Structure formats: C-alpha cells, structure tokens
Amino acid sequence: LPKSMQISISKYYSAISMIRPDIVHAWQDQTNVEASLVCGMLGVPGVVIFARSLRPDGKSMAHMRKRKYFKEAYKAILVDQNIQFSHNSNAGKLSYSSWLKIPQKRFSVIHNGINFTEFGFNSDDNVIKEKMDAFAIPENAIIIGCVFRMVREKRPNLWIDAVNECIKSSDRIHAIMVGGGPLMSEISAKISELGLENRIHLVGQTNNVKPWLDKFDLFLLTSSIEGLPNVLIEAQAFGVPVISTDAGGAKDTFIDGTTGYIVGDNSNEISERIISTLSDGIWMEIAQTKSISHARQKFSPETMVENLSAIYEQSLSSYNR
C-alpha cells in the first residue's frame, strides 16, 4: 500500500476501534476504500460509502495516475454485501456500474438535499440593484442566466456561442453570467470581440446567488462534466426553468419537457431550443410553477434523510443475514 494510505488506514483503525460504531458512512473514492478496509478488519456491522460524481477514471488522468488501485480495490470490497455503495445521481450509479462491471442493482442513489430557506436568506438585494442599474438592462428584457465557475468543464465559450444566436433573434434578450474563475479574462475578451458588452453581462464571483436567480427567465448550463449540478436544482426551486447539456447527473435534476430540456453539445441546437422555449409563453408559465414544486419536493433535506435512513437499514440488515 502507498505510504499515505497506510497512515490514513492506521488513523481510521484507531478511531473506529475506539468508537465501535454500528454504521460508518464514508465519502469520496480514497476514503471509501480506506474506511471499507478498516471496517472489514473490525467487523463494523453497517458500512455506507458514497460517490458524488462519475467514475474516477473519467475525471482526469492526473486524478487516477497515483490511484490505479481504485478499480480492483472497489471490486474486492464490494464482495461484502453489507457495504452499501450510494451515488447522488443515476448517471453516477451507471458510471460506476459500467466501470467496475458490477450490476446496477448493487448501487443505490441518494439525491442531494438542499435547504432552500437558508439559501434564500443569503442575499443582498441592494448589491443586485446596483449591478442591474450598471448593466442598464431594460425592464421588458428576457434574461438567460447561468451560475457556474469559469472553467473549461463548464464550457462558457459554448454558452456564449449559443446565447449569441439567441440575441440575434430578439432585441429583448439579455444574458447574465454569475461566477468567477480562471477563464474570466478570456470570456470577457470574447464578449467584447463579439460586440456583446451591452447584452451579455458578467457578474463575477459572488455568494449572493438567489437574487440573481430571481432576475432570470431561463437558466442555461453547458457543462461537459458534472456530478449532480445543484445550480439546476436551485434555479428550479426559485421558479426558473432550465436547459442543460447531458452532463453527469444533470437529467436527474429536472423533468425533461416539463421543467426544462436536455440539449446536445451544439450551439445551434442549444440556441434553437432556447428560442422555441422562450417563445412558448404557456409552457414557460407552467414550467415556472412546476419547477418550484419539483425541486423542493425531490431535493428537500427531509427526502434525503428519509432515503439515507433506508440505506442505513439495508446495510445493517445485510450484515445480520
């Protein structure tokens, strides 16, 4: 075993042998493997491990270079039926099932739970008003929005290409991009090159997200890689229908055709979907209402706890068989 892994296992062994828990719940691949090995040694009755994204070899080569043992380690520990392996999206479950060549029924899904009340409290409307005044967006504008970090995986260039086509179709369409990151200067330069400084507005990094969602008519996500994107859930929870590429667990977060749409990785397809969606006033009105109920019911903390309790019971019952 790698030296760092030996040290971690030693620490887990010391803590778990002292506490003697009925259930150990671990998160993320490295901890999952180490904790499962220790629980096997100590005979812990219930073991729940959790992955919040897709299979590790699909993230980056750098992620896997020093962890080539993950695949065989997972296959070995999952022989123990009391170990419950959960994911926060169906896409994650399918990804690990395919990678490990283990049937899907061996894995479970527990979607994220979001405290929408607390999320809504973290806001400052005065800051938003100052920004909106500076943007000089007309009162009758239709706003396409996003909230994400400006990194390659989010594909902000694709986002701008798609929105640019939408802007050409209507003088009313504006766009707001909320988020900072290493591509900010590149994205700002692209907006200037396209002559869209008065139509695509950059907010930058902020924790003040909810008031921006209140300004959006439609939320667009163009990621290539995702776990379970909370931003799609949060947008719907505050009445904003969504359009997203089919990245990770994105399709888990909304009802395709009812509270949003899945689109391909082509800017023309994305822009056509946005234009047709915004043109359908009846659909938009219904989607705004259904988005709120869908997000708040499916992704409430209470629903998450209920599902997690069932997984805990399953782990303990497997041990007692």
Side-chain angles (χ1 to χ4, degrees):
L1 293 176
K3 184 66 174 178
S4 59
M5 194 172 177
Q6 293 179 40
I7 294 172
S8 294
I9 287 177
S10 176
K11 291 180 179 179
Y12 290 141
Y13 189 96
S14 176
I16 293 173
S17 61
M18 179 174 61
I19 299 170
R20 307 299 297 181
D22 293 308
I23 297 175
V24 167
H25 188 159
W27 285 266
Q28 306 290 17
D29 296 308
Q30 187 71 42
T31 307
N32 287 344
V33 170
E34 294 169 349
S36 295
L37 291 173
V38 172
C39 289
M41 287 185 273
L42 293 172
V44 175
V47 181
V48 175
I49 57 179
F50 194 90
R52 59 180 289 274
S53 187
L54 305 184
R55 51 194 278 182
D57 67 333
K59 296 174 184 175
S60 69
M61 287 305 297
H63 183 81
M64 283 296 294
R65 192 166 290 121
K66 295 182 180 180
R67 303 175 178 85
K68 297 177 180 178
Y69 53 83
F70 271 169
K71 185 173 186 177
E72 294 307 315
Y74 266 135
K75 292 174 76 170
I77 63 179
L78 289 173
V79 171
D80 186 344
Q81 293 300 309
N82 80 302
I83 295 179
Q84 301 296 308
F85 199 170
S86 296
H87 306 263
N88 68 349
S89 72
N90 284 293
K93 179 180 77 171
L94 295 175
S95 176
Y96 273 80
S97 173
S98 174
W99 176 50
L100 299 175
K101 302 295 189 293
I102 294 175
Q104 295 177 32
K105 64 182 180 180
R106 186 67 178 82
F107 306 90
S108 58
V109 174
I110 307 173
H111 289 123
N112 298 352
I114 299 175
N115 187 329
F116 299 108
T117 301
E118 184 176 300
F119 183 84
F121 282 152
N122 185 22
S123 63
D124 185 342
D125 292 337
N126 290 328
V127 172
I128 306 303
K129 185 179 185 308
E130 290 175 7
K131 284 278 191 180
M132 289 295 289
D133 289 343
F135 293 155
I137 299 175
E139 286 293 328
N140 70 337
I142 298 170
I143 299 178
I144 302 167
C146 70
V147 179
F148 56 62
R149 183 166 163 74
M150 301 294 174
V151 293
R152 296 291 175 199
E153 293 81 4
K154 303 298 182 181
R155 296 192 289 196
N157 283 288
L158 174 60
W159 198 95
I160 291 173
D161 289 340
V163 169
N164 184 26
E165 293 302 313
C166 299
I167 287 172
K168 292 177 183 177
S169 73
S170 172
D171 292 337
R172 292 181 61 197
I173 292 179
H174 282 249
I176 295 177
M177 304 182 77
V178 179
L183 297 185
M184 275 292 288
S185 58
E186 177 183 321
I187 294 308
S188 180
K190 178 168 183 168
I191 291 171
S192 297
E193 289 168 9
L194 293 171
L196 296 173
E197 302 98 318
N198 296 325
R199 302 292 290 279
I200 300 180
H201 313 278
L202 295 176
V203 172
Q205 185 173 346
T206 179
N207 292 323
N208 203 24
V209 172
K210 194 267 181 182
W212 287 113
L213 294 178
D214 291 339
K215 301 296 182 183
F216 298 167
D217 293 288
L218 193 67
F219 191 101
L220 173 63
L221 187 67
T222 52
S223 301
S224 60
I225 299 172
E226 283 287 350
L228 187 78
N230 281 348
V231 288
L232 294 179
I233 301 169
E234 292 159 356
Q236 292 173 88
F238 294 98
V240 186
V242 300
I243 291 178
S244 176
T245 47
D246 191 8
K251 65 174 61 172
D252 280 31
T253 65
F254 61 92
I255 306 171
D256 192 22
T258 300
T259 67
Y261 289 103
I262 283 285
V263 290
D265 298 333
N266 179 280
S267 62
N268 289 330
E269 178 184 339
I270 297 171
S271 62
E272 287 173 5
R273 172 53 72 186
I274 292 172
I275 292 167
S276 64
T277 300
L278 291 174
S279 300
D280 190 342
I282 295 175
W283 186 92
M284 286 290 292
E285 186 175 348
I286 295 172
Q288 288 164 3
T289 301
K290 290 190 174 181
S291 291
I292 295 172
S293 59
H294 167 69
R296 290 175 182 262
Q297 290 171 15
K298 185 173 182 179
F299 301 99
S300 70
E302 292 79 14
T303 299
M304 182 188 69
V305 169
E306 182 179 332
N307 293 335
L308 182 57
S309 295
I311 295 298
Y312 285 168
E313 291 294 337
Q314 180 62 37
S315 180
L316 292 172
S317 66
S318 296
Y319 180 82
N320 293 325
R321 285 174 186 168

